[in-house]
Amino acid sequence: EVQLVESGGGLVQPGGSLRLSCAASGFTFSAYGMSWVRQAPGKGLEWVSGISSGGGDTGYTDSVKGRFTISRDNAKNTLYLQLNSLKTEDTAMYICAKANGPYLVRMTKGYSYRGQGTQVTVSA
């Protein structure tokens, strides 16, 4: 059974940092690209970042470039998202998702598996 379990969210002041983790199990983690998507209150899903199976190819939505960093540790079956210089507009539920192949994908929907998410709230 595929499982994706996010952690690391919380309440942080503007300008602060968080590191999100996504623990994967039930599939060969190193063989699949992974993504982070987010859903802000009252809004639809937004693709945030993606990474290829080996970690060599990464991508970001424009609003987070230079502030967020995606990475993965295939030995630990874990996906990460480092969030720096957080803004109030980054407040959202952050969800990790498994791609259908090894490549970086920039999809909002269409993932076969997604986690339940971890809440990030940026507020003074």
Side-chain angles (χ1 to χ4, degrees), residues 29-98:
F29 181 71
S30 61
Y32 291 90
M34 297 291 294
S35 294
W36 287 97
V37 298
R38 67 185 179 184
Q39 186 161 26
K43 296 187 178 181
L45 284 170
E46 176 188 24
W47 177 82
V48 176
S49 183
I51 189 168
S52 60
S53 59
D57 193 15
T58 59
Y60 302 90
T61 193
D62 286 347
S63 63
V64 309
K65 283 181 181 177
R67 300 189 298 120
F68 291 8
T69 303
I70 192 171
S71 63
R72 64 191 296 161
D73 186 336
N74 286 343
K76 295 182 177 180
N77 289 348
T78 304
L79 175 73
Y80 302 100
L81 187 67
Q82 178 68 41
L83 287 63
N84 296 331
S85 302
L86 281 161
K87 304 176 180 180
T88 55
E89 52 262 43
D90 294 318
T91 294
M93 182 71 74
Y94 283 73
I95 302 162
C96 69
K98 172 184 170 291

